[in-house]
Amino acid sequence: MNRRVLLLITAGGAAFLVPWILFLAVDLQDGYTTGEWRLAWVGLDVLLLAGLGSSAWLGFRRRRAAVPVLIATATVLFCDAWFDVVLDWSSGARWSSLLMAVGLEIPLGLFLSLRARHLLGADQPPRVVTVHDVRDIFNDPARQRIIGALAQAPATVQTVAARLHADPADVAAELHTLREAGFVRCDNSGRWRKRPLDLRMPEPDQISTQDWADLGAWQDRKLAEDLQLLANVARHPERYGHWTMGSRGGLLLTREELTRFFDEYIELLTRYGALREQAIDVASDRFGKQGELRTMAVRFYLFPQRLGEPATNL
């Protein structure tokens, strides 16, 4: 929808509601008799049932459509709580309605709203790569091996040490260093996990020339690794089967649209990454149902097709 049309509709609706609310507050009757009371409330509960069921199914399937369904279901719960309390306030059921609203409907609505926010990836802010990350983490073979050992599944210090044939004391010390740097975390059961990160490169004018040289060298090395990986996939597709997908395309975008397009891509990637730990924890239940889990390499770039090409004014 065109943004001007959206602004016109929303602003016009808000402007209309102001006098309408004042009119209802003055003119609406204190009492009203209706013949469809049962249908109204049963219908509302049926709507809640459909919303909760759809939210559960879409959330388990990690569908993007779960977000609006969760928000809609939470809204219905808040409305149900409001009308239950207000309409029963003058009756003997006021306290039971208030207890139901405060003890169940409002907390459940808040929980669904927070789950929708979680699915949108709002709890994973972007992190700018620093030269210390490159020097102390990315260029350290021992720490990279530990991160790689945690990429498939969470593990204890002893398990990681056994996988790497290393001293558990040395592994524990490295894990604490990685935790302070924000690359891993330890859960309540004592298992270490790789933390999903949204890493962004810094702006060139924000770091020194020497630091930028170190970052550039690291980028060159990663690019060479990516090109080698891509070449292996292209030359030997039979080794990967149906586990590879790719797309090439082009877009004509404004700077604002480019930023929004990138943010939506990161949101999608983050949403799946945020649920990755849950998928690992229940992996044993998914084998034979949805197939095995594999760590996928994802690369995404947006850049002008022709360097130095002047912008087009529309």
Side-chain angles (χ1 to χ4, degrees), residues 248-254 257-258 261-262 300-305 309:
R248 297 182 63 181
L251 296 169
L252 182 63
L253 301 173
T254 65
E257 291 169 342
L258 173 65
F261 186 92
F262 179 75
F300 175 76
Y301 298 99
L302 280 171
F303 48 86
Q305 186 170 343
E309 180 181 23

Side-chain angles (χ1 to χ4, degrees), residues 249-298:
L251 296 169
L252 182 63
L253 301 173
T254 65
R255 185 65 180 87
E256 180 184 6
E257 291 169 342
L258 173 65
T259 301
R260 189 164 64 248
F261 186 92
F262 179 75
D263 289 341
E264 290 181 5
Y265 165 78
I266 293 298
E267 172 197 312
L268 179 66
L269 189 66
T270 300
R271 180 163 54 87
Y272 274 80
L275 296 176
R276 181 174 179 272
E277 292 183 0
Q278 175 184 344
I280 291 174
D281 290 339
V282 300
S284 58
D285 297 332
R286 295 179 61 185
F287 288 136
K289 299 178 182 179
Q290 297 183 6
E292 60 182 324
L293 295 170
R294 290 194 179 184
T295 300
M296 306 299 295
V298 182

Side-chain angles (χ1 to χ4, degrees), residues 19-76:
W20 178 250
I21 291 172
L22 295 175
F23 169 76
L24 292 179
V26 174
D27 194 66
L28 195 64
Q29 302 178 22
D30 292 333
Y32 188 79
T33 301
T34 178
E36 305 297 339
W37 188 253
R38 180 177 302 172
L39 177 62
W41 286 108
V42 171
L44 186 64
D45 287 338
V46 170
L47 184 61
L48 274 177
L49 175 63
L52 291 171
S54 300
S55 298
W57 188 85
L58 291 170
F60 179 77
R61 301 287 294 183
R62 294 191 289 182
R63 295 290 190 265
R64 184 180 177 84
V67 174
V69 174
L70 285 168
I71 295 298
T73 306
T75 302
V76 174

Side-chain angles (χ1 to χ4, degrees), residues 90-227:
S90 299
S91 69
R94 99 171 49 162
W95 299 116
S96 60
S97 297
L98 185 61
L99 181 63
M100 175 69 71
V102 175
L104 178 62
E105 293 170 329
I106 293 178
L108 182 56
L110 291 174
F111 171 76
L112 295 181
S113 300
L114 291 175
R115 290 304 302 172
R117 179 179 180 272
H118 178 74
L119 289 175
L120 286 173
D123 57 343
Q124 184 178 317
R127 168 176 171 167
V128 176
V129 175
T130 67
V131 68
H132 299 291
D133 293 334
V134 173
R135 294 171 180 169
D136 300 337
I137 306 298
F138 301 146
N139 288 343
D140 190 301
R143 291 169 183 170
Q144 285 301 297
R145 285 195 296 271
I146 291 176
I147 293 176
L150 297 175
Q152 294 295 332
T156 62
V157 172
Q158 290 72 21
T159 302
V160 175
R163 291 175 183 175
L164 300 178
H165 306 287
D167 187 335
D170 294 338
V171 171
E174 296 291 1
L175 283 170
H176 285 286
T177 299
L178 289 170
R179 179 171 62 180
E180 292 177 359
F183 287 87
V184 302
R185 68 178 181 86
C186 185
D187 59 24
N188 295 330
S189 64
R191 296 187 303 174
W192 291 84
R193 299 172 180 265
K194 179 182 178 182
R195 186 186 295 274
L197 296 173
D198 175 13
L199 297 177
R200 309 282 183 93
M201 291 301 296
E203 297 294 335
D205 58 354
Q206 295 178 349
I207 57 177
S208 67
T209 303
Q210 178 57 44
D211 289 347
W212 185 251
D214 292 340
L215 285 172
W218 170 70
Q219 278 191 303
D220 290 342
R221 187 175 73 250
K222 297 301 295 181
L223 179 59
E225 294 173 358
D226 288 344
L227 290 175

